[in-house]
Amino acid sequence: MITLSSCEVGNREAAQGAVEVSGAPTVTTTPTLTPTVSRETTTPSAVSTPIPIAQDTPTIPPTIPSAAPSEPRSSPSLDFSSLEKTLIERYGNAKPKKWGENVPGVRTHLTTKEQVIALTFDACGGKEGSGYDEKLIDYLIKENIPATLFINARWITANKDIFAKLAANPLFEIENHGTEHRPLSVNGKLAYGITGTKSVNDVIHEVKDNADQIEKLTGRRPVFFRSGTAYYDDIAAGIVHDLGFQLAGYNVLGDAGATYNTEQVYNALLKARSGSIVLAHMNHPEKDTAEGIMKAIPELKKEGYRFVHLASYTLN
């Protein structure tokens, strides 16, 4: 099934509705915001040391347990140049075996039986992707609806004052949508016509540089990463894990890169279920995402659903 998750490409026959997927969880730490909604009680698990990956059989460590949400961490104390060298040595000659939105390590559901949904909105940046859907955000604020915002470095540069206001509002959890909004690859693989990162070093900086910027501006280091187009190869996914982040996928395609009309957005959201993660966009005010969201949320509320941050729950 082909789904569209990039805000920089045109409409194509994207799947409408929920896409049920799963991936092997891989995480080292799970820092979080103080939640503004009730959260599921979990017990932290011991975290295993990342397993070195053999050059001829690249894979992501499958046995690292999930960790419950914890307090925000401070900046990594490990000297970055040493970490970068270690990762290049570990993954430099590894050859990817998997490619797509749901490689092992991509987390697509909240681990819960509660009637909760995580709304996530990407802000991709760039020439045609640096707009601000004020109608959407104002509606979320008016209705007191938490949401997780995946922000690209280019969008931050184009919207510094708006970013500061969003980051200061506890309704919004700020997460990492990359530095140049690229698919995450070690060999330049394309997704929807966008060239991916081309090396281990490129992967590291696509993730880390924007995380550093967000931490500097907000005082909180992102917990989750979502690449441009939401595509990864398995080597890149392992690198993200070793950098200390979780890969945030989705199981409800909310607006197909802001190409859905109002009814399509509405119908997609009504297929959300307990623990669903919805992917939509907040950087195209000229599109119909806001109208579809505003139409769907009252219906979901009537069905008993609440809306939560990603970091308020363990993901799987």
Side-chain angles (χ1 to χ4, degrees):
M1 180 177 293
I2 297 174
T3 59
L4 176 66
S5 57
S6 169
C7 62
E8 297 185 13
V9 296
N11 195 5
R12 52 169 82 178
E13 293 295 319
Q16 296 182 23
V19 181
E20 292 299 327
V21 292
S22 62
T26 55
V27 60
T28 52
T29 57
T30 314
T32 182
L33 291 170
T34 301
T36 57
V37 294
S38 64
R39 60 189 287 177
E40 183 176 78
T41 301
T42 55
T43 303
S45 302
V47 178
S48 304
T49 301
I51 302 170
I53 293 181
Q55 294 178 359
D56 58 345
T57 55
T59 183
I60 297 172
T63 58
I64 297 175
S66 299
S70 60
E71 293 304 313
R73 64 183 175 189
S74 59
S75 298
S77 59
L78 178 65
D79 179 72
F80 174 65
S81 62
S82 297
L83 173 60
E84 186 173 35
K85 181 179 178 181
T86 297
L87 293 178
I88 291 173
E89 290 175 350
R90 175 176 294 176
Y91 295 102
N93 294 320
K95 298 185 184 301
K97 292 185 177 180
K98 296 183 179 180
W99 171 251
E101 293 178 308
N102 300 309
V103 300
V106 176
R107 296 164 180 243
T108 59
H109 295 74
L110 308 177
T111 304
T112 182
K113 294 181 180 178
E114 297 178 30
Q115 280 192 282
V116 293
I117 297 169
L119 298 175
T120 72
F121 297 96
D122 289 359
C124 309
K127 183 179 179 180
E128 299 179 0
S130 290
Y132 172 56
D133 198 336
E134 187 173 10
K135 178 188 285 188
L136 170 65
I137 298 300
D138 284 352
Y139 173 77
L140 297 176
I141 292 171
K142 178 183 177 182
E143 297 297 322
N144 197 37
I145 297 170
T148 300
L149 310 181
F150 282 85
I151 312 290
N152 180 262
R154 302 172 307 171
W155 195 91
I156 295 173
T157 298
N159 299 278
K160 292 181 179 178
D161 291 342
I162 294 172
F163 176 79
K165 291 179 181 178
L166 293 173
N169 190 327
L171 276 178
F172 303 122
E173 171 190 355
I174 305 298
E175 298 297 347
N176 185 0
H177 197 34
T179 304
E180 296 183 347
H181 193 259
R182 295 191 179 279
L184 218 62
S185 163
V186 293
N187 56 12
K189 199 170 182 67
L190 275 69
Y192 303 118
I194 301 176
T195 303
T197 49
K198 297 180 179 180
S199 67
V200 173
N201 193 59
D202 279 356
V203 170
I204 292 169
H205 287 280
E206 176 68 12
V207 177
K208 180 183 178 294
D209 291 357
N210 194 42
D212 289 348
Q213 176 178 214
I214 291 172
E215 183 176 25
K216 180 179 179 180
L217 293 173
T218 69
R220 173 188 177 272
R221 194 162 185 80
V223 179
F224 301 101
F225 177 82
R226 178 183 288 155
S227 71
T229 76
Y231 266 65
Y232 313 85
D233 67 36
D234 51 331
I235 303 305
I239 295 167
V240 174
H241 160 257
D242 286 355
L243 287 170
F245 302 97
Q246 294 184 50
L247 291 174
Y250 65 96
N251 70 318
V252 174
L253 184 67
D255 66 358
T259 63
Y260 278 176
N261 62 33
T262 298
E263 288 302 311
Q264 288 174 313
V265 174
Y266 169 76
N267 289 330
L269 262 70
L270 289 191
K271 293 180 181 179
R273 296 293 179 262
S274 296
S276 284
I277 298 173
V278 176
L279 169 62
H281 290 75
M282 55 164 281
N283 60 315
H284 282 288
E286 76 282 7
K287 302 292 187 175
D288 292 338
T289 298
E291 293 294 336
I293 295 288
M294 291 165 64
K295 184 176 180 179
I297 282 179
E299 296 298 321
L300 291 169
K301 283 184 173 180
K302 287 180 183 178
E303 294 179 17
Y305 288 100
R306 296 184 294 110
F307 302 94
V308 299
H309 292 152
L310 285 185
S312 296
Y313 288 80
T314 300
L315 271 58
N316 62 60

